[in-house]
Amino acid sequence: VNPDRPSPEPDAVSSAFFTALGEGRLCLQSCAECGTPQFGQLFCVRCSSRSLRWVPASGRGTVYAVTRLHLAYHPAFAESVPYSAVTVELEEGPRLYANLVADGGAAVEAEIGMAVEVRFSALASGVTIPVFAPAA
Ligand SMILES: [Zn+2]
């Protein structure tokens, strides 16, 4: 764990998301009125209902986009460049921007369409973030 790595700061909307991650579960919000899955909203993005509840996600998805980072935009990542970050489209639909890792810590080459599964990375701050690994 890199102690200098910046950490998300859970707020009133996202704290349940981060609490679940700390317990090894990826959750997303589901609208009780229309069922639309989403992340981090106060109101449903489709029907504006406030009846959003956090439900477990499958943790499976595919790589939708790849960003190759050659510059460290924060000193904590200086020794990591170049590396790839990915936008993962979850089976349920919503997309997450995350790091791609290999089980065991080896580097892995990101490819659009690659099947991936969620893993959990605990930061020095105590916050756990989702990362993705190639699906078994
Ligand atoms: Zn809705």
Side-chain angles (χ1 to χ4, degrees):
V1 175
N2 182 336
D4 300 322
R5 182 179 168 143
S7 173
E9 296 178 12
D11 60 20
V13 173
S14 66
S15 64
F17 174 74
F18 286 105
T19 296
L21 288 170
E23 297 167 356
R25 291 177 291 115
L26 176 68
C27 289
L28 44 73
Q29 289 173 305
S30 177
C31 175
E33 302 297 327
C34 74
T36 299
Q38 53 208 289
F39 281 115
Q41 304 297 325
L42 279 171
F43 300 91
C44 175
V45 296
R46 182 161 179 230
C47 75
S48 300
S49 169
R50 293 186 69 111
S51 299
L52 301 177
R53 58 199 170 92
W54 289 97
V55 298
S58 68
R60 293 186 298 271
T62 56
V63 173
Y64 177 82
V66 178
T67 303
R68 188 76 173 158
L69 292 115
H70 295 272
L71 286 175
Y73 292 96
H74 185 283
F77 297 97
E79 293 179 9
S80 301
V81 292
Y83 67 97
S84 295
V86 293
T87 301
V88 172
E89 186 168 274
L90 298 175
E91 279 185 348
E92 293 84 356
R95 296 173 187 154
L96 276 178
Y97 188 64
N99 288 116
L100 184 66
V101 300
D103 292 327
V108 54
E109 207 57 43
E111 289 179 40
I112 291 172
M114 173 188 285
V116 292
E117 295 174 337
V118 72
R119 299 289 186 268
F120 304 93
S121 178
L123 304 180
S125 65
V127 174
T128 297
I129 59 172
V131 297
F132 286 84

